[in-house]
Amino acid sequence: GMHMWKKFVIVAMSLVLVMGSASCSRLSHGSDNASEAMTLSDADSMFLRMMIPHHAQAIRMSELALTNTSSTDVRLAAKSIKKVQTVELQKMRSWLAEAGGSEGEMTAAELGTEGMMSSHNLKSLRAARDKAFDIQFLSGMLVHHRGAITMAQDEMKHGSNPKVKAVAAAIVVGQSAQLIALEALRNHASD
């Protein structure tokens, strides 16, 4: 059984990396016409203000994984998440600035839950190592991803700006694929 499981996770992880790189390059080489002003509807603006701190936290969680895990698979997952979300985060920050949104990113308190880790949970994650870390990290990231997918699906439904809707679509596709791999890793870690 173990061998089959390993094969599955490797396939899932490489799929996530490939998809992640694809959405990264799509975002970094989008035809950014400088003369086109960035206009955001209230829904677009709200999405960016919520998603930016949400992504920033996932990146912080992933950076912790690079030092606190002893699992190659978890490290690979964290690297993939960090890589994809860093590109998306930079894009989203530049759009919000470009549109001259007077309100900046939301604070964790304003954001509410949306799958975010509490400061208490983050502290506990920072202190954990190896398998104990993996279980907390994977469980936390699963909840985090589900929150992001919900917000992104909402933007796809109610948003107006095509660039913002495209990043929302990339988040839904990329993070849905990652959920499968993260779930498999978590089930294995808690064996």
Side-chain angles (χ1 to χ4, degrees), residues 63 173 186:
E63 284 167 346
V173 172
R186 208 246 334 244

Side-chain angles (χ1 to χ4, degrees), residues 57-149:
Q57 187 183 72
I59 292 166
R60 270 202 305 281
M61 289 163 69
S62 301
E63 284 167 346
L64 280 178
L66 300 178
T67 55
N68 293 17
T69 188
S70 47
S71 156
T72 327
D73 292 323
V74 172
R75 190 172 290 118
L76 181 62
K79 268 188 184 154
S80 166
I81 291 166
K82 184 182 171 186
K83 180 183 171 191
V84 176
Q85 295 207 23
T86 300
V87 175
E88 291 172 347
L89 180 66
Q90 288 164 344
K91 271 294 177 202
M92 292 190 293
R93 280 199 166 131
S94 73
W95 293 335
L96 195 59
E98 213 181 305
S102 50
E103 327 100 325
E105 304 159 21
M106 285 198 170
T107 63
E110 286 178 302
L111 189 52
T113 59
E114 292 303 350
M116 296 274 281
M117 273 192 129
S118 67
S119 53
H120 170 76
N121 289 351
L122 271 176
K123 197 185 253 161
S124 149
L125 185 67
R126 220 172 272 124
R129 293 292 179 276
D130 307 324
K131 200 167 184 164
F133 173 86
D134 295 347
I135 292 167
Q136 284 183 51
F137 170 76
L138 294 164
S139 304
M141 198 56 91
L142 282 165
V143 175
H144 208 271
H145 271 33
R146 288 192 194 107
I149 291 167

Side-chain angles (χ1 to χ4, degrees), residues 44-57:
D44 297 328
S45 163
M46 179 63 83
F47 170 72
L48 292 176
R49 291 181 62 222
M50 290 169 80
M51 195 55 88
I52 289 167
H54 200 268
H55 265 42
Q57 187 183 72

